Amino acid sequence: MHDGSLGAPAPHPNAMEHDMTQIQDFDPRERPAPVWTVEQLMAAQGKEIGVSSWIEITQERVNMFAVATDDRNFIHVNPERTRREAGLRGTIAHGFLTLSLLSAMSYEVTPRIEGATLGLNYGVDKARFLTPVPVGARVRGRISLAEVTRKPGALIIAWDAVVEIEGAEVAAGGRPAMIARWLSHITLGHKA
């Protein structure tokens, strides 16, 4: 089924009506975070770096992720069917949405690296989705610096991330929503 405009398919019934051309960009090198030297970073291996603010998991956020990834499984986008057929209280966030929020969480709590010119996701060595995140919940990340590996002109940083659900914090005996070993590739300029 087409809507007639340039042969494009009609939007999926769960598609959100957002003008995605108006998204403001962001440069993480300019974020308000402390600047650490490579030596300071090396000295912090094995330590918790910080805990992010809470991020609300709204149905709109889940729906937008469903459209962006083409994962419209009913347990994410249809609360009534989820209650009826899956026995859950309502819809839940995609595990990969929870994983994707590590970027926002890390921008808030990790330091900027002196001399860094570019940071890229390098991979995930391990990720486990331990507790479903219900829509309406809030999550936050506890980020620890696991390991720093020097490469010519670059660093590979392994972060250990624990994503908690508000009201079920790990320190209070709760089970995390997710744990992950997340890798960053940091390109260093000549001054690093």
Side-chain angles (χ1 to χ4, degrees), residues 27-29 113 115-120 153-155 184-189:
D27 186 342
R29 296 171 300 178
I113 312 302
T117 60
L118 181 66
L120 297 171
L155 300 172
S184 299
H185 180 281
I186 307 299
T187 302
L188 299 174

Side-chain angles (χ1 to χ4, degrees), residues 35-67:
V35 178
W36 287 11
T37 64
V38 173
E39 291 72 25
Q40 287 174 303
L41 195 69
M42 299 295 278
Q45 292 177 97
K47 297 179 181 169
E48 184 173 274
I49 301 302
V51 180
S52 75
S53 300
W54 295 106
I55 297 173
E56 185 174 2
I57 305 300
T58 63
Q59 188 64 61
E60 180 182 28
R61 182 185 297 268
V62 171
N63 289 352
M64 287 171 55
F65 191 84
V67 170

Side-chain angles (χ1 to χ4, degrees), residues 24-140:
Q24 185 174 351
D25 69 354
F26 166 72
D27 186 342
R29 296 171 300 178
E30 298 172 1
R31 62 193 165 95
V35 178
W36 287 11
T37 64
V38 173
E39 291 72 25
Q40 287 174 303
L41 195 69
M42 299 295 278
Q45 292 177 97
K47 297 179 181 169
E48 184 173 274
I49 301 302
V51 180
S52 75
S53 300
W54 295 106
I55 297 173
E56 185 174 2
I57 305 300
T58 63
Q59 188 64 61
E60 180 182 28
R61 182 185 297 268
V62 171
N63 289 352
M64 287 171 55
F65 191 84
V67 170
T69 60
D70 205 18
D71 180 357
R72 297 174 175 93
N73 186 316
F74 74 90
I75 63 172
H76 304 305
V77 298
N78 189 326
E80 294 77 23
R81 185 174 177 193
T82 299
R83 284 190 284 275
R84 187 177 65 247
E85 295 182 28
L88 298 171
R89 292 184 179 148
T91 48
I92 60 174
H94 303 75
F96 288 130
L97 169 56
T98 304
L99 179 68
S100 296
L101 289 173
L102 289 180
S103 292
M105 294 170 182
S106 73
Y107 289 148
E108 185 179 346
V109 301
T110 60
R112 293 182 293 145
I113 312 302
E114 186 177 81
T117 60
L118 181 66
L120 297 171
N121 285 322
Y122 193 62
V124 179
D125 277 351
K126 181 178 182 178
R128 297 293 181 266
F129 305 108
L130 303 173
T131 305
V133 177
V135 167
R138 297 194 320 165
V139 295
R140 70 177 179 191

